[in-house]
Amino acid sequence: MSCHSGPAPEWTVAQVLKVFLPEYLDRHPLPAHHLKVLRRLAQCRSGQLGWTVWQCQQCHRTHWRPHGCGDRHCPSCQHQRSRQWLQEQRRALLPVRYFHWVFTLPAALRPLILQNQAPLYRLLFESASATLLQFGQQRFQAELGLTAILHTWGQNLMNHPHLHCLVTGGGLTDQNTWAGPKQTRWLFPVHAVARMFQGKFCAGLRQLHATGKLQFHGDCQPLQDSGAFAALLRQVRARRWVVFAKGSVVGPDAVLDYLGRYTHRVAITNSRLRALDPHARTVTFTYKDYADASRLKAMTLTGVEFIRRLRLHLLPRGFTKIRHYGLLGNNRRHRRVPQARAALATSPLRFAPASAPRPAPPPLTCPHCQGTDVRCIGRVERSGKVSLFARPWLSGPAPAYTDTS
C-alpha cells in the first residue's frame, strides 16, 4: 500500500505507460510476463489496485491513499522495500571494512545476453562470486562474505549488465580466526581479479553452448555454429574486461547506506522524468553522460522507444537479483556470522566506529491539517472488498479511479 509522504514527482513511469503502452502493444506482441509487469506498473497508485483509508488523530478527518503495485521494477514502490530489506541485513553486518567491486560484461555479448537472460545473468553471479571467494582463499586462506546485486542498465536505459558486490575485508579461516588485508585501500589487485573473472565467465559460456542451453534468434542465429561461437569468445577474450574496485566503507550505518544505493534501484526513477508530450508522442528524461565528464543532459525518446528500452530491464520471472555468498550465504549465515563476530572480538582487524543516529523516515502527514498522528483505519481491495480496522469509518465515498499516480 502507499505509505510515503512528501511531494509527488511531476511525472511517473506509470503515467508514461498509461499514455504509450496501448500504442506499443499495437506494434509489438509481448510475452505474458512482460505484459503483466507493464500493466501492473501502469496501474501503480492509480486507484485501480485498491485504496487504504487513513484518519488523522488531530483533526479526525479521513483521506484515501491509492495502493502501490509492489512490483520490484516499479520506481514508486522500491524505496519502502529497500528500507525493510536493509533492516533485515543489519543482523548480518560484521565490524570490518567492506569493499565495493563492480563486474561488467563486454558489449559484444549483450545481444546474446538479452536472448538468454536467466542462464547468463546466473553465470555472471557465479563467475564474479567464485572469483572473489577464490582470491579470499588464496590471499588469506579464509572464507569471505559478499552480497551481489544485479543491474542491467546504463543511464540512457540501454542494456548494460553489471554486478555490484560488497565484500567483507577479510574472512573466517578453518581455525575460526579472522584473516584479512593489512592495508585498507584495496582488497585484491584489480587486473588479476578481472583476468580470473573473464576466464571463469568464458569457460561457463562455452559449457552452456556445448550443452545446448543457449538460444539464438535473429542476428545471433549464426552463433549456433561452434566455429562462429568460438570466434566470438576469441573476440571478447582479446580485450580487457572492465572490473572496478571502488574502495571501502566502514561501520554498520555506512554499509547499510551504501547498500541502499544499489539494492532496490530500478532502471529509471520518476525524478529523472522531465516531460511527457502526448501530442508529439515523446518522453524526456535526464541522464549522466559519463563520456562527457558526467554532465547531466536531457534525452527525448518516442514513447514506444522508451517502453522498448524499459523492457530490456524486466528480469525473468522469479529471478533473484540480490544474492549472498561465502559466510553470508543464506544457508550459512546463521552459523558463520556468529563465528565471525567471535573471531573479530579479539582481532586487530576489527573496525567498528561508533554509529551515528540514523534519521527517522519522514512521517505520514494529514493532507487537511498537516498533523503527523495519522492511522490506517481500513482498506478497499481492487475487488471491492472492504476491511475495517477501526472506527469511525469514512467521511466520504471512495474516490473514483484517476489517472494521477
Side-chain angles (χ1 to χ4, degrees):
M1 69 183 161
S2 175
C3 55
H4 67 91
S5 61
E10 185 174 359
W11 302 108
T12 66
V13 169
Q15 290 171 317
V16 173
L17 289 170
K18 288 189 191 85
V19 173
F20 297 114
L21 186 56
E23 179 182 353
Y24 189 90
L25 294 177
D26 285 342
R27 302 185 188 185
H28 305 283
L30 287 183
H33 172 58
H34 283 198
L35 181 60
K36 182 178 180 180
V37 170
L38 293 177
R39 283 180 170 166
R40 188 186 298 134
L41 299 185
Q43 294 172 340
C44 185
R45 305 192 199 285
S46 67
Q48 287 180 295
L49 301 176
W51 302 82
T52 50
V53 192
W54 300 76
Q55 184 175 59
C56 176
Q57 303 305 296
Q58 292 174 227
C59 70
H60 305 294
R61 297 178 70 182
T62 57
H63 64 276
W64 299 78
R65 293 176 183 266
H67 288 177
C69 65
D71 194 277
R72 61 176 172 170
H73 302 94
C74 178
S76 299
C77 293
Q78 287 306 294
H79 178 67
Q80 178 71 11
R81 181 175 290 187
S82 174
R83 279 178 31 210
Q84 294 168 347
W85 184 88
L86 289 171
Q87 286 307 310
E88 293 171 4
Q89 302 311 305
R90 180 182 285 275
R91 295 192 294 270
L93 289 177
L94 296 172
V96 295
R97 290 184 180 271
Y98 282 72
F99 292 79
H100 184 189
W101 289 79
V102 184
F103 296 81
T104 302
L105 293 174
L109 292 177
R110 291 174 191 169
L112 183 64
I113 291 168
L114 281 175
Q115 296 185 14
N116 299 274
Q117 290 178 310
L120 295 189
Y121 289 158
R122 192 178 304 116
L123 179 59
L124 171 58
F125 274 103
E126 292 169 354
S127 302
S129 62
T131 296
L132 291 169
L133 293 175
Q134 186 170 332
F135 264 86
Q137 287 292 343
Q138 292 175 349
R139 299 296 173 110
F140 311 130
Q141 293 74 54
E143 181 183 42
L144 308 178
L146 66 98
T147 296
I149 304 133
L150 175 67
H151 286 182
T152 63
W153 56 85
Q155 282 275 304
N156 61 1
L157 282 184
M158 293 301 286
N159 190 39
H160 180 68
H162 56 285
L163 203 65
H164 293 271
C165 299
L166 204 60
V167 189
T168 56
L172 203 57
T173 68
D174 290 341
Q175 293 75 39
N176 284 339
T177 59
W178 190 265
K182 292 183 172 57
Q183 56 80 34
T184 58
R185 184 176 178 128
W186 308 113
L187 188 59
F188 305 124
V190 176
H191 294 323
V193 169
R195 285 194 296 272
M196 182 181 290
F197 167 63
Q198 179 194 63
K200 288 183 181 297
F201 190 91
C202 287
L205 195 56
R206 188 183 299 111
Q207 178 67 15
L208 288 171
H209 186 276
T211 54
K213 294 180 180 177
L214 297 176
Q215 299 183 48
F216 305 94
H217 307 290
D219 292 341
C220 290
Q221 206 161 18
L223 294 176
Q224 290 183 14
D225 176 72
S226 58
F229 193 80
L232 174 65
L233 285 181
R234 285 194 298 272
Q235 174 191 343
V236 297
R237 293 200 67 146
R239 307 190 66 171
R240 179 179 292 173
W241 286 29
V242 179
V243 173
F244 286 113
K246 301 185 70 172
S248 64
V249 290
V250 296
D253 291 329
V255 172
L256 284 175
D257 289 341
Y258 207 77
L259 270 173
R261 300 177 203 172
Y262 299 98
T263 53
H264 290 72
R265 189 178 289 180
V266 293
I268 186 167
T269 60
N270 292 329
S271 61
R272 287 175 56 196
L273 296 173
R274 289 293 175 266
L276 189 163
D277 190 332
H279 302 293
R281 313 302 291 169
T282 58
V283 181
T284 301
F285 62 93
T286 58
Y287 71 102
K288 287 182 182 178
D289 187 350
Y290 293 117
D292 188 14
S294 296
R295 285 186 171 87
L296 194 65
K297 299 181 179 181
M299 177 176 290
T300 299
L301 302 174
T302 66
V304 168
E305 173 61 13
F306 180 90
I307 293 176
R308 185 194 74 82
R309 295 192 187 193
L310 190 65
R311 279 190 60 211
L312 299 177
H313 314 297
L314 301 184
L315 296 175
R317 184 187 290 107
F319 189 87
T320 303
K321 73 170 187 176
I322 306 174
R323 305 186 183 200
H324 307 280
Y325 297 91
L327 58 87
L328 297 181
N330 291 335
N331 60 342
R332 301 162 61 80
R333 65 167 62 190
H334 68 283
R335 175 173 52 88
R336 298 294 272 166
V337 168
Q339 290 173 340
R341 286 207 178 104
L344 282 161
T346 57
S347 171
L349 296 173
R350 178 185 175 88
F351 197 107
S355 297
R358 295 178 64 80
L364 289 171
T365 57
C366 172
H368 306 296
C369 71
Q370 308 308 310
T372 57
D373 189 0
V374 181
R375 302 179 188 179
C376 182
I377 63 171
R379 297 173 59 95
V380 179
E381 306 298 342
R382 65 184 303 172
S383 64
K385 177 183 176 182
V386 176
S387 303
L388 306 181
F389 305 150
R391 293 182 182 277
W393 184 224
L394 313 178
S395 57
Y401 162 68
T402 172
D403 279 344
T404 302
S405 296

